[in-house]
Amino acid sequence: MNPSQKLPRGAAALLIALVTPTQNNVTGIPVLLWGRPGVGKSSFIEGLARPDFPVTTLIASIHDPTDFSGLPILEDGKVRYATPQWVDSFSETGNGILFLDELSTAPPSVQSALLRVVFERRVGFHDLPPGVRIVAAANPPDLMVGGWELSPPLRNRFVHLNWDIDADLYINALLSGWQQGNIQEVDTKAHAVLLGQVKARVAAFLRLQPSYLHANPEDNPYGFASPRTWDFVAALFTSAELLGYDLHDTQSDGLWLDLAAGCLGEGIAIALIEYLRNLRLPPPADVLDGKVSLDVTDLNDGELYVLFASLNPYLKAAVGTADLLPYSTVYLDLMATTFDDGRRDIAFVPLRELAQSGWLPEVFAAAQQANGDGGSTVTDQIERFFADEGLNQFIDVLS
């Protein structure tokens, strides 16, 4: 995926959502495209089809609930649910796109049946393959004719993206043809590592704005904040970074806002992005490697929280390696300065989480085996922190 691709509005965010790893080894966060008729939502999605990546389109309004929940059948005195035929289109490849077109024309009974398909990825008692992505499309509420509003539980299971084509893009397409979308892969291991850092930034924002954890569905016509959609945001932002999108690049402004607003609503999204852009933190690896020096007394409370939470994954990964002691030395020096600065309460949660991971006995043993003052300094710092009266919760960890 190229950040400079000339695609319809919403397409870049869609392609990111399609490749984002989620829980249980599933790929793709469900997407709902909102756009007026005739702007190419369906043709773009169907253009992503490949021999090994099928796209199955279902018009929601012409199906009944059993097409998504399975038809109950009595067999040997027990009721089982027959799997709809459309599920078979993914049986050979194990991946592809289930495209639910005209979703806003689906009656409430069909919407209820779709809840399980969209989020649990189950059709009756049959699991969709982990590589099957779910995309839906709908016309904006002001253009609906004879449709139904989507229920808040169903809306909360999608990232909502506005889809549109401006005049310049359409004119270029007339002259040179439409540019096809390109689905890339995101390395799941790299995503898992970076996700921890992104979650730390999101957590720091929510520590400052805890009321933003939830939003009223009635105040947001599309996506709205909930713990589920905050998880979506963290995973999507992680994929965007791995695919080359820079939060501080003005050319990517629309993409980041599309991703965040599609999950949380525009108001919270703007506040989140503004907060993330103002964080003054170098890459965690550069801090631990000694490539940059950092004065933690110059950081605000949110930045300090993000710093330690971002360093923790690197220290955990260093257990059993030669990097454990030097990384831990840098970490503990920063922690000591934080304690001296009177802000030990901010470092408490990251330090407890790190200690409970098994890092503590490993670094303590490495420090005792080390020659010179470095090992004794680390030992002294550990004893200082965990003897602190405010950190008595660590007693169980140390026992």
Side-chain angles (χ1 to χ4, degrees):
M1 193 184 307
N2 187 339
S4 65
Q5 279 182 306
K6 302 300 182 182
L7 297 171
R9 180 190 173 184
L14 165 68
L15 295 172
I16 288 172
L18 291 177
V19 299
T20 295
T22 61
Q23 298 176 351
N24 302 321
N25 298 317
V26 170
T27 302
I29 291 177
V31 176
L32 176 48
L33 304 176
W34 293 92
R36 67 189 73 185
V39 290
K41 303 184 295 295
S42 302
S43 59
F44 185 89
I45 297 298
E46 291 171 352
L48 297 173
R50 302 290 184 270
D52 60 345
F53 192 84
V55 174
T56 296
T57 301
L58 301 177
I59 308 298
S61 60
I62 63 174
H63 289 271
D64 63 38
T66 59
D67 290 326
F68 301 106
S69 60
L71 182 67
I73 296 176
L74 183 63
E75 186 178 88
D76 297 330
K78 297 180 180 180
V79 174
R80 70 177 185 87
Y81 288 83
T83 304
Q85 187 175 2
W86 62 263
V87 177
D88 295 338
S89 58
F90 303 114
S91 58
E92 291 186 9
T93 62
N95 58 29
I97 294 176
L98 169 61
F99 181 42
L100 305 170
D101 206 358
E102 304 293 344
L103 185 63
S104 55
T105 64
S109 59
V110 174
Q111 291 186 28
S112 297
L114 283 172
L115 281 173
R116 198 175 191 197
V117 177
V118 173
F119 199 69
E120 294 186 19
R121 303 174 54 83
R122 303 200 77 187
V123 182
F125 290 94
H126 180 85
D127 292 324
L128 290 176
V132 174
R133 287 78 158 175
I134 297 174
V135 180
N139 296 325
D142 58 338
L143 295 178
M144 290 182 190
V145 178
W148 283 269
E149 291 187 2
L150 301 185
S151 66
L154 184 58
R155 280 196 286 133
N156 197 238
R157 283 161 167 78
F158 289 99
V159 51
H160 299 252
L161 301 175
N162 289 313
W163 189 274
D164 200 7
I165 297 173
D166 61 34
D168 288 340
L169 178 61
Y170 181 68
I171 292 170
N172 290 333
L174 285 178
L175 298 175
S176 57
W178 292 100
Q179 186 172 0
Q180 294 292 322
N182 180 29
I183 295 182
Q184 293 184 335
E185 292 185 3
V186 169
D187 185 288
T188 55
K189 292 183 178 179
H191 191 276
V193 172
L194 183 57
L195 180 61
Q197 299 178 36
V198 174
K199 283 184 174 180
R201 301 171 205 161
V202 170
F205 173 75
L206 287 173
R207 280 170 62 92
L208 297 175
Q209 300 288 352
S211 64
Y212 285 173
L213 178 60
H214 301 277
N216 187 346
E218 302 303 323
D219 296 336
N220 298 272
Y222 303 120
F224 58 92
S226 72
R228 175 189 294 133
T229 55
W230 278 107
D231 285 346
F232 285 174
V233 167
L236 291 166
F237 278 15
T238 302
S239 294
E241 286 193 37
L242 291 174
L243 292 171
Y245 292 94
D246 185 352
L247 181 62
H248 299 89
D249 182 358
T250 56
Q251 293 184 344
S252 299
D253 280 354
L255 169 76
W256 292 95
L257 183 57
D258 284 348
L259 291 172
C263 299
L264 307 171
E266 189 173 41
I268 294 178
I270 291 173
L272 171 65
I273 291 174
E274 182 68 17
Y275 170 80
L276 295 177
R277 282 183 172 153
N278 288 326
L279 284 176
R280 302 165 298 157
L281 294 175
D286 291 348
V287 174
L288 294 174
D289 287 335
K291 295 179 181 178
V292 297
S293 58
L294 188 63
D295 182 5
V296 296
T297 62
D298 187 46
L299 300 179
N300 61 42
D301 289 355
E303 291 167 333
L304 191 60
Y305 179 85
V306 174
L307 171 67
F308 285 115
S310 299
L311 294 176
N312 279 7
Y314 289 87
L315 268 71
K316 293 177 187 178
V319 170
T321 73
D323 291 328
L324 177 61
L325 191 57
Y327 280 10
S328 299
T329 300
V330 173
Y331 185 95
L332 293 169
D333 284 343
L334 295 171
M335 187 69 67
T337 304
T338 301
F339 269 56
D340 294 339
D341 196 38
R343 295 192 287 174
R344 61 189 176 89
D345 56 317
I346 297 174
F348 175 80
V349 173
L351 186 59
R352 179 181 61 184
E353 185 257 344
L354 183 61
Q356 291 175 333
S357 71
W359 162 84
L360 187 58
E362 294 290 337
V363 70
F364 198 84
Q368 289 181 322
Q369 295 175 3
N371 295 322
D373 295 335
S376 60
T377 300
V378 169
T379 302
D380 292 343
Q381 287 177 332
I382 291 175
E383 291 176 347
R384 172 196 175 187
F385 299 146
F386 292 99
D388 188 281
E389 184 178 351
L391 302 181
N392 285 333
Q393 294 184 45
F394 287 93
I395 294 176
D396 292 338
V397 177
L398 295 172
S399 60

